[in-house]
Amino acid sequence: MKILLTSAGRRGYLVKYFKEALGKNGEVHVANSSKLCPAFIYADHTVITPLIYDKMYISFLKNYCIEKKINAIISLLDIDLLVLAKHKQEFANLGVTIIVSSSEIVEICNDKWNTYNFLKSAGFYTPQTYLDLKDALKNIECKRLQYPVILKPRWGMGSIAIYTADNEEELNVFYKKVNNQIKESYLKYESTKTPRNNVLIQEKLGGQEYGLDVINDLEGAYQTTIVKKKYAMRAGETDCAMTVHEEKLEKCGEKLSRALGHIGNLDVDIFYDGNKPFILEMNARFGGGYPFSHIAGVNLPKAVIAWLNNEKCKKEWLEAKYSVVAHKDIKIAQL
């Protein structure tokens, strides 16, 4: 079994997880568009690809898969998911399984406005969200929305350009600032799809923040939900968390799985005050919160490999011990 992890960046831990899961029965290949990639250190083989939006990106990956006899591709970056999802069948024709949800599901997760509308239509609690500044100001005036409010990119990732506005003056300033930062970052690529509507104004949620790993198999069938109570965040990722048993959140994860029908892992941010769980965002991939599930006993890489081999997934691979607290460490990697 040969697995290619694309857009690996700093997620060296996932490379190690897959290498451990494969043991002597396979190889982990790691791809990234820059050679400055810490995840390369742990790979069996590495390759520098064209940029995701380069016209040669897909043909490059196809040729690499043929040459190296790759069996499966797993992407670790949101903007890579949609590109790969659109070419999933082409790779399948080459005997390569791309472990990614349909392009429709990826677009629901990547586009935070689509996320909001999907969650509302499917009956989930989610913060009030506005795409138009005038509409948001009108609802603030009518007391349907109150300060503070959150401003963030519609296609945002990694906590880029997120601000809290406490009044109208700040709201207007931050709205312009977010638009400008989108144009100056890699978010500009996704944002070309919606050039005049790229900033969301959102109700600021209260309650405790949790992360969910909602796990489906490769056919989109629900398997389990792992719940983690977040204690600290860094650059938009969970930095410290504890695995917990919260029945209402586990049921919320199951309901979300059945409504969305995603493939593999769905990384979910959720706020919960003990009464109503409010879903904030979803990422249709291994998220920054997965290591907290893994260290508590979950082994999704082993499950994925079993599914790829048409083998049964062992029950214990998708079970987490409760009350396991973990904190990400800062480690220097020589490249």
Side-chain angles (χ1 to χ4, degrees), residues 187-207:
L187 300 181
K188 64 186 177 183
Y189 296 109
E190 296 278 52
S191 298
T192 57
K193 302 173 186 177
T194 52
R196 297 181 182 177
N197 295 288
N198 281 318
V199 181
L200 297 184
I201 301 100
Q202 197 166 65
E203 171 190 9
K204 186 174 182 179
L205 294 173

Side-chain angles (χ1 to χ4, degrees), residues 122-154:
F124 293 95
Y125 296 109
T126 190
Q128 295 179 65
T129 303
Y130 301 90
L131 194 56
D132 181 78
L133 179 59
K134 291 181 181 179
D135 193 23
L137 287 168
K138 180 180 178 181
N139 279 276
I140 290 170
E141 185 179 348
C142 297
K143 308 296 183 184
R144 285 193 289 266
L145 178 66
Q146 296 180 338
Y147 292 111
V149 294
I150 304 295
L151 292 92
K152 63 184 184 183
R154 175 175 179 170

